[in-house]
Amino acid sequence: MLLLVTPSPPPTTPSVLPDIDKVTSQVAVTCQNDPVCSTIAGIFNNAAWAPLAAMLVVVVLILVLAFALRNVAHRVITRVVNRAATGGSITSRFRKGAATDSIDALLHERRKQRAETMGSVLKHIASIVILGTAVLTVLDRLTIPIAPLLTSVGILGVAIGFGAQELVKDFIAGMFMLLEDQYGVGDVIDAGPAVGTVEAVTLRVTRLRDVDGRVWYVRNGTITRVGNESQGWSRAFMDVPVAYDADVVSVKVLLEHVAEEIWADPELRESKIVEPPQVFGVEQLSDSSLVFRISAKTLPSAQAEVARELRLRVKTALDTAGIPMVATA
């Protein structure tokens, strides 16, 4: 007996490719409801392939417009940055000379660095916003649902926000620090956790080097107050304690003579001091002495050197005049 076996047909696997007809119909409906796309489709005499061609043209126009807006935004930001980087002389109220010229050059360089940093940040933000909006618009035109994508991005953003709160805090603090020009590279600052010279500033951390040579990395978000000893100008002063029986007028005249000598010194006047030193007279009355004060306005970070020169010259002048200094408690 002969048995005939009919082979069974191979199992069919579901197609992973999208249904072209379904996509075409969805694009046609979207194009019909879009005045720009429908107008372009009319140019092609509403052929069967016209909605797809018109939608492709619309996508290209959206991308071209996005890149054009991005370039315009970058140009505007660059112009604003260049204008912010060039400003008037901040030391115009001081005597013009080599010292104030050095201050203006330093402040101009800091202003330029701050403006360029903020310009770079703004350019990145503009690119993300404009190109991201363009991509979402293109996906919507192609009938790709963007609601699940936006929901996923929102959930991811919330998760990242909770997990990176300190990082976000550091970046925001760094941006405001740069905008307000609280300090810059080369400044001597007291940042709370550390005191030293600023070696590097980023949006996240500030790197300091203290007098012992130790390097400190301070997160911008942890800095609650900053004492800057190097911004604009500094002040060097010296308190001079003398005995109660000393002639007040003679001591004041002597200190004024020292101030005139320092101001007449070309090396100090042209590179360290920006205004004539002042003698304030009797600053304090202690139980054992009269305290006079002499002060000089200096370039940033030059106050220590000028103060040492003040001490040396005042001590020499007092010894020459036979006026002893009194130790204070």
Side-chain angles (χ1 to χ4, degrees):
M1 179 183 227
L2 210 73
L3 296 176
L4 297 177
V5 178
T6 305
S8 59
T12 59
T13 57
S15 176
V16 296
L17 296 176
D19 190 345
I20 302 300
D21 294 335
K22 182 178 180 181
V23 172
T24 303
S25 61
Q26 290 178 350
V27 170
V29 172
T30 304
C31 185
Q32 187 177 4
N33 296 330
D34 189 343
V36 177
C37 184
S38 59
T39 302
I40 297 175
I43 298 176
F44 298 123
N45 296 323
N46 293 320
W49 49 267
L52 286 176
M55 186 60 67
L56 180 61
V57 173
V58 170
V59 168
V60 173
L61 289 177
I62 291 174
L63 294 178
V64 170
L65 180 61
F67 280 100
L69 288 177
R70 175 178 172 271
N71 291 337
V72 171
H74 283 198
R75 288 178 179 273
V76 172
I77 292 172
T78 301
R79 182 172 298 180
V80 173
V81 166
N82 292 336
R83 184 174 299 178
T86 57
S89 172
I90 299 181
T91 59
S92 57
R93 62 183 182 277
F94 297 146
R95 173 192 57 86
K96 284 297 180 183
T100 52
D101 291 342
S102 300
I103 295 179
D104 283 339
L106 178 62
L107 294 178
H108 172 72
E109 184 63 26
R110 287 182 52 176
R111 188 190 302 114
K112 181 180 178 181
Q113 293 177 359
R114 185 175 72 256
E116 289 177 351
T117 302
M118 294 309 304
S120 176
V121 173
L122 292 176
K123 286 180 181 179
H124 282 88
I125 293 176
S127 298
I128 293 173
V129 172
I130 294 174
L131 297 182
T133 304
V135 169
L136 293 177
T137 305
V138 168
L139 293 178
D140 184 60
R141 289 293 189 278
L142 296 178
T143 69
I144 298 176
I146 62 174
L149 177 62
L150 294 177
T151 303
S152 301
V153 171
I155 296 174
L156 181 62
V158 172
I160 294 177
F162 277 109
Q165 293 183 46
E166 297 297 332
L167 183 63
V168 174
K169 180 180 178 182
D170 294 339
F171 273 93
I172 294 177
M175 290 184 62
F176 278 103
M177 179 271 298
L178 290 173
L179 283 173
E180 298 169 0
D181 191 24
Q182 297 176 9
Y183 53 84
V185 175
D187 287 355
V188 179
I189 67 170
D190 179 359
V195 179
T197 303
V198 179
E199 290 190 340
V201 179
T202 65
L203 289 178
R204 194 179 72 85
V205 297
T206 297
R207 190 176 76 218
L208 303 175
R209 187 178 297 273
D210 61 17
V211 293
D212 297 328
R214 187 183 297 108
V215 177
W216 294 84
Y217 293 88
V218 184
R219 288 182 21 238
N220 295 330
T222 63
I223 302 176
T224 57
R225 55 103 176 130
V226 177
N228 194 333
E229 300 180 6
S230 309
Q231 199 168 49
W233 52 270
S234 300
R235 188 182 296 277
F237 68 91
M238 176 185 177
D239 289 335
V240 184
V242 298
Y244 265 105
D245 57 355
D247 187 3
V248 174
V249 176
S250 299
V251 174
K252 185 175 181 181
V253 170
L254 180 66
L255 295 179
E256 289 175 348
H257 180 66
V258 172
E260 293 173 358
E261 286 183 350
I262 291 178
W263 182 242
D265 189 326
E267 181 180 355
L268 295 175
R269 181 171 180 174
E270 294 299 327
S271 61
K272 294 180 178 64
I273 302 178
V274 298
E275 285 187 356
Q278 297 178 344
V279 178
F280 295 139
V282 180
E283 183 72 15
Q284 297 179 11
L285 291 174
S286 68
D287 56 352
S288 60
S289 63
L290 302 173
V291 180
F292 290 80
R293 173 167 293 184
I294 180 172
S295 171
K297 187 174 290 187
T298 71
L299 284 175
S301 301
Q303 68 272 23
E305 187 174 354
V306 174
R308 286 192 291 269
E309 187 67 23
L310 279 174
R311 297 187 194 102
L312 177 61
R313 299 201 182 202
V314 169
K315 179 65 168 61
T316 302
L318 290 177
D319 290 345
T320 302
I323 301 174
M325 296 182 65
V326 178
T328 57

